[in-house]
Amino acid sequence: MLIDWFTVGAQALNFLILVWLLKRFLYKPILDAVDAREERIAAQLADADAKKAEAQKQRDTFDQKNEAFDRQRAALMSQAASDAKAEGQRLLDEAGKAADALSARRREALQGDAQNLDEAIGRRIQQEVFAIARKALADLATDSLEARMVWVFITRLRAMDGKAKEDLAEALKAAPGSVLVRSAFDLPAAQHATLQTALRETFPGVAPVRFETAPELVGGIELTANGQKIAWSISDYLVSLKEGVDALLKQKVEPAPKLETKSQ
Amino acid sequence: MRLSPDEMIFWQNGYFKLNGTIVFTWALMLVLAAGSKLVTRKLSMDLKRAYWQNLLEIIVTGIEKQIEDVGLRDPKKYIGFLGTLFLFIALASLCTVIPGFEPPTGSLSTTAALALCVLVAVPFFGIEQQGLRGYLKSYLEPTVIMLPFNIISELSRTLALAVRLFGNMMSGTMIIAILLTITPFIFPVAMSALGLLTGMVQAYIFSILAAVYIAAATRGRRPKPVSIQDIKS
């Protein structure tokens, strides 16, 4: 008999015991270890995925911030450039205005200086001419300049005629207390009397005259009454002298055209 | 000449006896249990692990994968029974290279015991999965007329399991024994190598068939035949 039923039973029991043993010592520990490892790997992968997602998120945020920063920087740069341009233009305008103002002031100052110089030169020339005339008259005619001036004044006074004489006569009558004779120098009493006499002869009934010394007249004498005035001064000569000098200077300033005409 | 290790009796007391089949089975049980205990004593949960642990993990996960491929949804539940079947038969075949060792699977008593275990396990898992009524109903499918045939099929496949394994293992041992008397040197070695292969194939066939039977019992109704429309959809 090939089958021994006791052995069959014993082997079945042995097999069941072996199943229990292997479950206990082989399958459970091994499968538990595999599961634990798989869980751990899955956890690590999930962690890695989470970290990757987080990194991607941070990178996206960084990129967005970077872009915003670039845009902001470009806008600020553009703004700064336009501001700088506007400021530069403003400064240039201000500088131009300041330069124009300075130039105008300098021009005015130069004109003022030139005018002052002109006046100073005119005064000096008047004084010099007056001094020369006084000396020449004393040497040649043994007469004083003041006396000759009074004489010339009286001559002019007497030579007056027509409307000018009438106007002055009316003025002298209208202002009996305000007839004034001004001269650049102190007139002696004899001259006062001569003048007074000549006035009475020319304009009968004229009131007494007041005499004043006015150095700004340089070498001159004048009579004023109620807005009317008759005068003689070296200035009249000096005006023609100045015109002559100016014409001479103008000729010296513009020599080029003459040269060109010569060469042609 | 012994046909089976059952005839190798070490001790007997009436009905009880200690024969070669039981002793060699104990030896295999000792090797399997002690080896497993030794390796799994300090398992590494880390990525780095010992060579023996790697080997056992490959074997266990391979068996689990095979069970899953057969169609059993929860392989961890069945690996104790089916994996032990495979490991026991495979180790018994492997140990035939040891001189003096006779595989317990070369005994019809052992293969009958294993087939009976399968015969009991199939309804056990079937009833556990779908209840007694559902399991018994599967014998009436597709019609009531098929009930006797289903029962005959159940018994005959158990018999086939036992005889197939016994025949293969016994014949392998017998061929080597006969060849040793005719051509003592080279040829028996080749046949022994072939016997190892046959033993592995038989271990695989036995456990896979058991898995298929259990899968059929736990699935309940047989799956509908797949139509062309289903495949297209």
Side-chain angles (χ1 to χ4, degrees):
Chain A
M1 184 65 180
L2 285 173
I3 293 182
D4 176 27
W5 289 107
F6 171 76
T7 311
V8 170
Q11 286 296 79
L13 186 66
N14 281 339
F15 178 73
L16 292 177
I17 292 169
L18 184 62
V19 168
W20 182 81
L21 283 173
L22 289 187
K23 260 189 177 177
R24 171 90 170 70
F25 294 123
L26 180 64
Y27 304 123
K28 193 171 183 304
I30 290 285
L31 289 174
D32 284 350
V34 170
D35 286 348
R37 191 179 304 118
E38 280 179 354
E39 276 177 18
R40 187 174 168 180
I41 288 168
Q44 284 177 346
L45 283 174
D47 189 42
D49 282 346
K51 279 181 180 168
K52 194 176 171 185
E54 179 67 22
Q56 185 64 38
K57 194 178 166 187
Q58 284 185 354
R59 188 180 169 176
D60 289 347
T61 311
F62 175 74
D63 283 348
Q64 284 173 358
K65 281 184 180 173
N66 220 2
E67 274 180 29
F69 175 72
D70 283 348
R71 280 199 300 274
Q72 197 177 0
R73 188 180 61 180
L76 284 175
M77 285 294 285
S78 169
Q79 180 69 30
S82 61
D83 286 353
K85 197 175 174 183
E87 182 67 15
Q89 190 59 44
R90 192 183 64 77
L91 288 174
L92 271 175
D93 291 347
E94 275 186 7
K97 284 177 187 170
D100 288 347
L102 188 62
S103 171
R105 277 204 305 277
R106 289 195 68 180
R107 201 180 305 117
E108 283 174 8
L110 279 173
Q111 283 176 352
D113 287 350
Q115 196 173 351
N116 289 341
L117 189 64
D118 231 19
E119 287 172 5
I121 289 171
R123 274 198 302 275
R124 185 66 183 266
I125 288 171
Q126 279 179 344
Q127 285 168 358
E128 290 297 324
V129 167
F130 190 65
I132 290 166
R134 185 199 301 265
K135 195 167 189 307
L137 203 62
D139 289 347
L140 294 173
T142 60
D143 200 353
S144 74
L145 181 65
E146 288 79 5
R148 290 307 299 172
M149 276 167 54
V150 169
W151 181 78
V152 169
F153 184 73
I154 289 167
T155 307
R156 282 197 177 183
L157 203 63
R158 282 177 177 161
M160 283 181 76
D161 56 356
K163 191 168 186 324
K165 192 177 179 180
E166 287 172 10
D167 290 344
L168 187 60
E170 280 180 15
L172 289 171
K173 282 177 187 171
S178 65
V179 178
L180 179 64
V181 173
R182 296 169 75 211
S183 60
F185 41 83
D186 290 333
L187 290 173
Q191 304 290 350
H192 284 191
T194 310
L195 261 173
Q196 190 78 39
T197 308
L199 273 173
R200 271 196 211 110
E201 284 172 5
T202 312
F203 302 102
V206 72
V209 176
R210 284 192 298 120
F211 291 94
E212 269 186 13
T213 304
E216 67 269 15
L217 290 175
V218 186
I221 185 165
E222 68 176 20
L223 180 147
T224 55
N226 199 26
Q228 292 290 324
K229 179 171 139 182
I230 180 166
W232 177 89
S233 171
I234 294 174
S235 300
D236 300 335
Y237 300 98
L238 288 177
V239 168
S240 60
L241 175 67
K242 190 182 176 188
E243 285 171 1
V245 169
D246 285 346
L248 190 64
L249 284 172
K250 207 172 181 181
Q251 277 182 350
K252 281 191 177 177
V253 168
E254 299 172 347
K258 286 181 181 174
L259 284 171
E260 281 178 6
T261 49
K262 276 181 184 174
S263 63
Q264 282 172 357
Chain B
M1 189 177 186
R2 286 193 305 268
L3 268 179
S4 143
D6 286 3
E7 297 167 18
M8 193 192 294
I9 294 171
F10 297 106
W11 172 84
Q12 188 165 13
N13 186 8
Y15 186 68
F16 300 97
K17 56 188 158 188
L18 195 62
N19 54 27
T21 304
I22 295 171
V23 170
F24 287 128
T25 301
W26 284 351
L28 291 177
M29 285 169 67
L30 186 69
V31 169
L32 281 169
S36 300
K37 174 73 182 164
L38 208 64
V39 174
T40 57
R41 190 179 46 185
K42 39 183 180 182
L43 281 176
S44 163
M45 304 287 178
D46 213 341
L47 292 174
K48 193 174 181 179
R49 36 193 197 273
Y51 298 116
W52 284 107
Q53 185 183 342
N54 267 336
L55 179 69
L56 286 190
E57 281 189 13
I58 289 167
I59 291 169
V60 171
T61 51
I63 293 168
E64 191 185 17
K65 184 78 173 44
Q66 284 295 322
I67 295 169
E68 200 175 7
D69 287 348
V70 166
L72 289 167
R73 283 178 204 157
D74 188 10
K76 284 189 176 66
K77 188 175 167 185
Y78 307 102
I79 196 171
F81 182 71
L82 296 171
T84 308
L85 271 178
F86 175 78
L87 288 178
F88 177 68
I89 299 167
L91 190 65
S93 306
L94 199 64
C95 287
T96 52
V97 294
I98 299 168
F101 180 86
E102 287 194 30
T105 46
S107 153
L108 191 58
S109 305
T110 308
T111 57
L114 295 178
L116 283 173
C117 286
V118 174
L119 180 72
V120 174
V122 169
F124 175 79
F125 287 122
I127 291 166
E128 189 192 27
Q129 193 69 29
Q130 50 184 342
L132 182 63
R133 191 184 177 85
Y135 175 72
L136 290 177
K137 202 180 171 186
S138 67
Y139 281 94
L140 302 175
E141 285 179 352
T143 59
V144 184
I145 305 164
M146 292 300 287
L147 176 64
F149 299 104
N150 279 334
I151 294 168
I152 292 167
S153 157
E154 199 81 14
L155 295 172
S156 64
R157 75 187 185 191
T158 306
L159 185 67
L161 271 180
V163 173
R164 185 191 302 112
L165 182 59
F166 165 70
N168 276 285
M169 298 310 293
M170 186 271 287
S171 64
T173 319
M174 291 295 286
I175 286 169
I176 294 167
I178 292 165
L179 283 175
L180 274 174
T181 59
I182 304 168
T183 53
F185 296 110
I186 307 298
F187 207 58
V189 174
M191 288 310 291
S192 184
L194 193 63
L196 281 178
L197 179 66
T198 314
M200 288 298 153
V201 171
Q202 287 308 312
Y204 180 74
I205 287 173
F206 197 99
S207 47
I208 283 294
L209 281 175
V212 170
Y213 299 153
I214 292 170
T218 51
R219 200 171 292 157
R221 290 179 186 175
R222 287 182 173 81
K224 285 197 299 184
V226 181
S227 65
I228 296 171
Q229 280 77 14
D230 290 337
I231 294 168
K232 278 181 182 173
S233 66

